[in-house]
Amino acid sequence: MSTGTHSKELPQAAKPSGLKGMVLAYLMRWVHRGEYNAAAEALQLGRNDRFLEIGCGSGFFLWKYAAGTARSTGLDHSADMVAMAGRRNHRRVQSGTTEFRQGDASSLPWLDGSFTAAAAIATFMFWPDPSNALKEVHRVLQQDGRLVISLGWNADDGMDHTGHAQKYGIKLYSGEELRAMLESAGFSHAAITYTRSFMTPRLMICKAVK
Ligand SMILES: C[S@@+](CC[C@H](N)C(=O)[O-])C[C@H]1O[C@@H](n2cnc3c(N)ncnc32)[C@H](O)[C@@H]1O
């Protein structure tokens, strides 16, 4: 696994905040649209699902793709993103079918087996403690629950990410590294596929099952 830095003062992409963070989060909904589609295709959310998105940012994915689920929940460590996601999804928040919480991926504030499906879209590469975070996601998923992780930048895409790793403090994972981490977190099956997306030659989509 190649590593980047993870300083206290996180870059905007890793923890969007203030006006700059809100503009960035707004732009992400355009830049990540191919990634959202690929993640939604892998997730196949239905009306019985209780869905968790970790690193939900502005809440656009939940709003567009999880509106028909029984429950949807977003977690982000940025207070400003939690507020923005709540505003975007205010109808479902008011009706009690959606909630947003501020917190870190490695310590999830939910009971075991709370969710049927989870996703981490364009966020996993920022997590400082990915192994514990995967154990946490495994814990809060019910048996047969599925997890989809999308990584637009990854160690299999043939790009030189040295500058990105330094600038954004990201870690770059290969499919095999991610599969091994998922297995040691307890997932029984992890399928990795690659597709093209906007400004992303080899978007990695990983679907794991508990
Ligand atoms: C590049 S943005 C992607 C946001 C959203 N998934 C999207 O595609 O629009 C990364 C998001 O992950 C969140 N994030 C990064 N590290 C996190 C962590 N350890 N725990 C929770 N959220 C995290 C950031 O605050 C940010 O909102």
Side-chain angles (χ1 to χ4, degrees):
M1 177 193 313
S2 43
T3 55
T5 58
H6 200 88
S7 62
K8 271 190 172 174
E9 202 47 33
L10 293 174
Q12 282 287 348
K15 192 172 186 180
S17 62
L19 184 60
K20 263 193 190 168
M22 288 208 283
V23 172
L24 185 66
Y26 185 80
L27 293 175
M28 274 183 219
R29 63 184 265 191
W30 301 108
V31 176
H32 292 166
R33 61 189 186 276
E35 203 160 336
Y36 298 149
N37 284 336
E41 179 72 26
L43 277 165
Q44 292 292 317
L45 291 173
R47 61 188 177 150
N48 293 326
D49 274 316
R50 287 169 274 119
F51 173 61
L52 169 66
E53 187 187 358
I54 306 151
C56 64
S58 71
F60 183 80
F61 184 84
L62 272 109
W63 175 77
K64 180 151 187 202
Y65 295 97
T69 56
R71 274 199 72 75
S72 59
T73 302
L75 179 98
D76 203 287
H77 65 174
S78 161
D80 288 345
M81 289 302 102
V82 169
M84 195 172 175
R87 286 194 295 276
R88 187 187 297 284
N89 292 274
H90 69 276
R91 285 213 182 88
R92 273 184 53 103
V93 170
Q94 270 166 7
S95 72
T97 50
T98 294
E99 69 160 341
F100 294 95
R101 296 258 194 114
Q102 186 184 3
D104 191 273
S106 55
S107 175
L108 301 179
W110 293 286
L111 297 173
D112 298 2
S114 296
F115 302 97
T116 60
I121 300 166
T123 180
F124 185 75
M125 67 272 199
F126 295 114
W127 297 359
D129 191 0
S131 298
N132 270 327
L134 290 179
K135 283 184 196 146
E136 274 292 87
V137 182
H138 184 270
R139 181 185 66 75
V140 300
L141 278 174
Q142 70 171 39
Q143 203 58 42
D144 292 329
R146 58 228 194 258
L147 165 65
V148 168
I149 296 175
S150 72
L151 289 171
W153 286 341
N154 57 74
D156 295 335
D157 64 13
M159 292 169 72
D160 177 4
H161 291 291
T162 314
H164 297 142
Q166 278 164 2
K167 185 171 176 193
Y168 301 114
I170 56 171
K171 298 171 191 169
L172 294 158
Y173 299 94
S174 69
E176 283 317 306
E177 285 166 335
L178 188 52
R179 194 199 307 278
M181 290 169 81
L182 285 157
E183 280 171 7
S184 64
F187 287 91
S188 61
H189 178 73
I192 315 263
T193 54
Y194 299 89
T195 184
R196 271 190 83 83
S197 185
F198 179 63
M199 287 174 27
T200 308
R202 218 160 171 242
L203 166 69
M204 185 194 294
I205 297 287
C206 173
K207 182 172 181 179
V209 178
K210 175 167 174 175

